[in-house]
Amino acid sequence: MLSTLAPSAVLLVFWQRQRGRARKDLPGFEATLAVSRHLLTLLIHVQKHRGMSSAWLAGDAGFLPCLRDQAVLVETLLPALQAHARLEGARPLPCFTANEVGLFIFHWRNLVESQAGKQAEQSIAEHGQLIAQLLRWLSALGERRIEPLFAGDQLGRVRNFAHRLPLLTECLGQARAIGSSVAARQACSAVARVRLMFLVGRAEALLDQATQADDGGRVSRQARSAIGDLTHVVRTSMLLNDGVSVSPDAYFVIASRAIDAVVAWMDDSGGRLQGLLRQAAMAEMTSAVAG
């Protein structure tokens, strides 16, 4: 029937249906949003641990105290992840399960205990496997739990929140880890050079895609500015033939600032989605009272 209606009528029918579901859907959405934000927090802190590990293993001993503190911080996030997994695992088609989380925790703790003596590149790869798992869980939550509640232009915001922007943090996180080892060694190998060139280009492409899907206004402009600062440092202080001219500490701060700006954008996207569903729920309640 919808295919025979004018576009404006289709949108009206969709909104009426959404309004009729909103009060029922809102509690489930808010629970999913809380789980997603917890995964995002864990993602960001594992990424930060990777960057610190990379600088330390490349020869900057000053990162070791912060690295230990970061490992403790990640540990504090794991019990809540286990609790979320038990609830999620009881649902049809779970996005992640208690067994998967148990395996994740086993690999994380093994990584932390075996850090000393590794090459920075090996540490980056092992962290990357854990981070890829977190990204898959986030994407699954977005696709199965959040996208069905929205349509039209709002899907761009959902995909930014659960997929594009987390991927952007990972591009920046890899650039932070590789660049930190380069800055610690004060030398950029051919492999690191190629990888950094790819990562900054990929980050810029993901940033453009996210902006086209949902221009977050001030938060997206701040992210673009911070990412621009990072890509400028990579291109002018690491990739030129005259050598590396940035310290590990300075580089880590610049890269972290870019990641934090993207996290703020993700948080804004989630808040806007929450606001839209609350508005629909309030409209339903108002309509019921008036009726």
Side-chain angles (χ1 to χ4, degrees):
M1 182 181 94
L2 290 179
S3 61
T4 65
L5 297 176
S8 58
V10 171
L11 291 174
L12 177 61
V13 170
F14 170 77
W15 175 248
Q16 289 171 337
R17 290 179 179 174
Q18 284 295 92
R19 193 176 69 178
R21 298 169 49 192
R23 187 162 50 180
K24 172 175 66 68
D25 289 337
L26 184 57
F29 169 76
E30 292 188 336
T32 298
L33 186 62
V35 176
S36 298
R37 283 176 164 157
H38 189 79
L39 285 171
L40 286 167
T41 300
L42 183 57
L43 169 72
I44 295 307
H45 285 299
V46 174
Q47 288 173 335
K48 185 172 286 188
H49 186 273
R50 174 182 56 191
M52 293 175 176
S53 298
S54 180
W56 174 58
L57 292 171
D60 192 326
F63 273 86
L64 183 56
C66 292
L67 177 62
R68 289 171 173 162
D69 290 343
Q70 190 66 23
V72 171
L73 196 159
V74 171
E75 279 291 327
T76 67
L77 298 171
L78 299 179
L81 179 64
Q82 291 172 308
H84 290 317
R86 287 192 292 270
L87 293 174
E88 179 64 28
R91 304 184 67 170
L93 298 175
C95 297
F96 57 98
T97 66
N99 286 340
E100 290 174 322
V101 167
L103 190 60
F104 174 92
I105 293 173
F106 171 79
H107 286 308
W108 158 255
R109 289 173 176 166
N110 184 63
L111 183 155
V112 172
E113 291 169 3
S114 61
Q115 278 282 90
K118 287 183 178 178
Q119 294 295 314
E121 291 74 16
Q122 182 182 359
S123 174
I124 290 172
E126 291 179 2
H127 279 87
Q129 292 172 4
L130 294 174
I131 291 166
Q133 181 67 80
L134 294 172
L135 289 169
R136 285 193 292 270
W137 291 341
L138 266 171
S139 187
L141 284 169
E143 182 179 346
R144 298 178 195 173
R145 305 278 182 259
I146 304 179
E147 282 192 24
L149 305 181
F150 297 91
D153 292 343
Q154 300 310 325
L155 285 177
R157 185 171 285 129
V158 174
R159 290 167 184 163
N160 275 0
F161 174 75
H163 184 66
R164 291 190 193 94
L165 294 178
L167 280 179
L168 177 53
T169 70
E170 176 53 4
C171 266
L172 299 172
Q174 288 185 37
R176 177 174 60 187
I178 296 170
S180 293
S181 67
V182 167
R185 291 167 176 157
Q186 286 294 292
C188 190
S189 68
V191 172
R193 185 183 302 274
V194 170
R195 190 64 184 158
L196 283 170
M197 290 174 64
F198 168 79
L199 288 168
V200 297
R202 176 64 172 149
E204 289 167 339
L206 283 168
L207 175 62
D208 288 340
Q209 291 170 18
T211 304
Q212 290 168 15
D214 168 36
D215 185 349
R218 178 183 58 84
V219 290
S220 66
R221 290 193 297 273
Q222 290 175 339
R224 184 175 292 277
S225 175
I227 292 169
D229 291 342
L230 174 61
T231 58
H232 176 76
V233 168
V234 170
R235 289 178 170 131
T236 61
S237 300
M238 287 187 170
L239 301 182
L240 297 180
N241 291 331
D242 55 355
V244 177
S245 57
V246 60
S247 71
D249 287 339
Y251 180 78
F252 194 90
V253 168
I254 293 167
S256 297
R257 191 178 297 130
I259 294 169
D260 290 345
V262 178
V263 172
W265 189 359
M266 284 190 287
D267 190 59
D268 181 75
S269 293
R272 291 191 186 196
L273 292 169
Q274 189 174 31
L276 286 168
L277 209 56
R278 283 178 174 172
Q279 288 174 16
M282 287 296 296
E284 180 196 355
M285 293 173 63
T286 302
S287 177
V289 171

